[in-house]
Amino acid sequence: MRKFNNYINDHVLFKVANLNTATIITKIIAGILTSKAIAIFIGVEGMALIGNLRNFLSAIQTFSILGFYNGLVKSISEVKNDVFKLSQTLSTAYYFGFASTVFVAFLSYYNAKEINDFLFSENYNYAYVIKIMALALPFYALNMFSFSIMNGFSKYKILLIINIIGQILGLSVTLLLIYQYNIDGALLSAVIAPSLILLITFVGFVNQRSLVSSVKISNVSFGVLKKFAPFAVMALVTAIAIPMVSIMIRNYIIDEVGIKEAGHWEAMQRISDYYLMFVNSLMTLYFLPRFSEIETKEEFRKEIFSFYKTAMPKFGIGLIIIYLLRSILVPLIFSDDFEPTQDLFFWQLLGDFVKVLSIVIAYQFIAKKMFVHFIIIEVFLVIIMYLSSVYLIDIFGVKGAVMGHFVSYLMHYGIILLLFGSSLFKVISNTDED
């Protein structure tokens, strides 16, 4: 069996990892510059409102394409040499994705007022932003469809170039709109920036233009749709449940503690998102394909403990460094007005450490298409996350939200260990004997 360290040194995987790292670094730099602009021109209150839109946009974008992205990439890589099966795969993803996108865009446009009240309360009127988001959704869907095709055909260099140019373009538009229109500009840039990349994607997609003729409504296949289903269901549950519960927690903080405190919590979430990008990339790049290959419990155990022994200590040291540098990082990324965010680091970082311990095992659900188990665990997680956060917010204020984050993932990890524990604990006893 290929060990963790050997596997990541594989030539093709190493090449993809380098490209992925460059993309992530670009995203982090763009994110930090955007956060700085929001902090300077809009302030703490605006950060909270933008956080709600950011979460809603994430959920609605994934729902609009039915969570097809990962399933489509995998399917294309498997059938790319079979013209008819490739046509079925592309046609099914395109037409079902198109119908779903139009449906979601229609609902969002004509319920913009209700969505505005949910995200921003009746005190703010940004319904026009929701309508612009609805109009931009089809362009986002087309962009993701094109991305998945290039990804499936392993066009990694083209994807890297598109991502970097797209991030630069998106950042430029974001900074300009924030400078010109403050919070309105920040909200507008959040909904239109992801769709702007489509212009660049079309240039990169020109080499695959012959595939356009493969998209035919007569080749739509329910068999292919069935193959997408496990990936779609799991992607939709995660992409919708977590952002929605984040909105609910943020709204609770706004109502019970204050909008400034909600802005501090959102700042903490942004910092967490930045460093977790590397972890999420590793999960998708290494563990998802690796777990799909694994057929025995012994291999699964060895992979988990190899990761725990090699990667987790480094991740833990990284979190300790971030914690020690929090008084420098907060004003550097945001401004002095966000100083109270420093009080949220301990529980957030501790929760993120437990989260990574947990999700590396939970990826077995995705790899083996155990979607019923996955859904039950995810629903349990978001319910506990909301209830524990609300309970602790009432006692400790905004700090209760990050404490709830830790508690929920600790319980999530406990459930995961109950499901896979007999195999994992066997490894521990064998290791001790050795």
Side-chain angles (χ1 to χ4, degrees):
M1 187 196 77
R2 287 179 291 185
K3 296 284 187 178
F4 177 74
N5 286 332
N6 293 334
Y7 195 89
I8 60 173
N9 285 326
D10 177 84
H11 176 69
V12 176
L13 189 62
F14 185 73
K15 181 180 178 181
V16 176
N18 283 338
L19 297 176
N20 236 28
T21 301
T23 303
I24 291 170
I25 291 173
T26 306
K27 286 183 178 179
I28 291 174
I29 293 173
I32 289 174
L33 291 175
T34 300
S35 296
K36 190 70 174 180
I38 293 171
I40 292 173
F41 292 103
I42 302 173
V44 181
E45 295 89 342
M47 186 70 75
L49 298 180
I50 294 166
N52 267 4
L53 180 63
R54 195 167 67 110
N55 287 140
F56 180 76
L57 186 62
S58 172
I60 211 72
Q61 285 175 339
T62 303
F63 188 77
S64 70
I65 58 174
L66 296 174
F68 276 176
Y69 183 79
N70 287 332
L72 182 56
V73 170
K74 186 175 187 296
S75 296
I76 290 173
S77 65
E78 291 173 349
V79 303
K80 59 186 177 185
N81 296 319
D82 187 317
V83 176
F84 179 68
K85 287 184 178 179
L86 179 61
S87 177
Q88 283 187 317
T89 300
L90 295 177
S91 301
T92 302
Y94 176 79
Y95 281 105
F96 275 99
F98 176 77
S100 173
T101 301
V102 171
F103 176 71
V104 172
F106 182 86
L107 285 181
S108 299
Y109 189 91
Y110 288 102
N111 292 279
K113 178 63 169 63
E114 289 74 14
I115 295 172
N116 173 84
D117 293 347
F118 171 62
L119 297 179
F120 310 117
S121 83
E122 297 178 358
N123 298 325
Y124 302 92
N125 184 17
Y126 297 115
Y128 77 95
V129 175
I130 305 302
K131 290 184 177 181
I132 293 173
M133 179 205 73
L135 295 174
L137 265 182
F139 298 101
Y140 169 82
L142 277 174
N143 185 62
M144 295 306 294
F145 181 70
S146 303
F147 258 46
S148 62
I149 292 174
M150 287 187 284
N151 206 343
F153 277 91
S154 304
K155 302 293 183 180
Y156 301 121
K157 285 189 177 180
I158 296 175
L159 282 172
L160 173 64
I161 294 170
I162 291 172
N163 266 309
I164 291 176
I165 296 175
Q167 290 296 328
I168 294 172
L169 176 62
L171 176 63
S172 302
V173 171
T174 298
L175 295 179
L176 178 63
L177 288 175
I178 290 175
Y179 178 75
Q180 291 287 337
Y181 304 107
N182 291 332
I183 189 168
D184 290 74
L187 296 173
L188 282 172
S189 65
V191 299
I192 65 173
S195 303
L196 290 176
I197 305 177
L198 178 64
L199 301 173
I200 307 160
T201 305
F202 272 143
V203 177
F205 190 64
V206 70
N207 292 327
Q208 304 293 328
R209 60 186 180 277
S210 59
L211 293 176
V212 175
S213 60
S214 299
V215 180
K216 302 174 182 176
I217 195 167
S218 59
N219 285 342
V220 170
S221 168
F222 284 95
V224 172
L225 184 64
K226 189 176 180 181
K227 284 182 64 179
F228 286 157
F231 293 98
V233 170
M234 290 187 283
L236 287 173
V237 169
T238 301
I240 294 174
I242 298 295
M244 286 302 172
V245 80
S246 295
I247 293 171
M248 293 168 66
I249 291 171
R250 194 179 291 103
N251 284 345
Y252 191 81
I253 295 172
I254 292 172
D255 293 338
E256 301 299 323
V257 186
I259 193 169
K260 284 190 175 182
E261 287 75 9
H264 298 147
W265 183 70
E266 169 60 17
M268 186 69 256
Q269 300 311 299
R270 283 176 175 255
I271 293 173
S272 175
D273 287 346
Y274 296 151
Y275 59 73
L276 284 178
M277 281 185 191
F278 289 102
V279 178
N280 293 332
S281 175
L282 177 62
M283 297 296 173
T284 304
L285 181 65
Y286 172 74
F287 281 101
L288 189 54
R290 181 68 188 113
F291 283 179
S292 298
E293 295 175 357
I294 288 175
E295 296 182 356
T296 67
K297 289 183 179 180
E298 186 65 25
E299 286 183 300
F300 173 65
R301 296 170 199 147
K302 288 182 179 179
E303 287 296 337
I304 294 299
F305 278 89
S306 177
F307 177 79
Y308 279 2
K309 291 175 182 177
T310 56
M312 287 309 298
K314 297 173 185 176
F315 181 60
I317 291 171
L319 292 182
I320 291 172
I321 293 172
I322 290 172
Y323 180 77
L324 295 175
L325 295 177
R326 65 192 186 281
S327 61
I328 298 173
L329 291 174
V330 170
L332 180 66
I333 298 174
F334 304 102
S335 68
D336 292 336
D337 292 337
F338 286 81
E339 184 180 349
T341 302
Q342 296 178 33
D343 298 332
L344 308 180
F345 270 68
F346 178 79
W347 291 106
Q348 180 69 42
L349 270 58
L350 194 60
D352 286 341
F353 186 81
V354 178
K355 177 181 179 178
V356 175
L357 287 174
S358 179
I359 62 175
V360 67
I361 303 176
Y363 255 74
Q364 179 75 339
F365 293 138
I366 302 176
K368 299 303 181 185
K369 301 179 183 178
M370 301 164 64
F371 61 92
V372 174
H373 296 78
F374 180 85
I375 292 171
I376 292 172
I377 294 297
E378 284 295 300
V379 170
F380 170 82
L381 172 65
V382 296
I383 291 174
I384 293 300
M385 186 178 292
Y386 179 74
L387 293 178
S388 62
S389 295
V390 167
Y391 176 77
L392 292 168
I393 287 168
D394 287 341
I395 300 174
F396 299 101
V398 67
K399 189 181 290 187
V402 288
M403 295 171 72
H405 169 72
F406 167 71
V407 169
S408 59
Y409 275 104
L410 186 64
M411 295 183 71
H412 182 261
Y413 190 37
I415 298 296
I416 294 294
L417 288 179
L418 284 176
L419 292 174
F420 294 101
S422 59
S423 299
L424 296 173
F425 293 143
K426 182 179 178 182
V427 170
I428 294 175
S429 61
N430 288 344
T431 302
D432 291 338
E433 290 173 7
D434 293 340

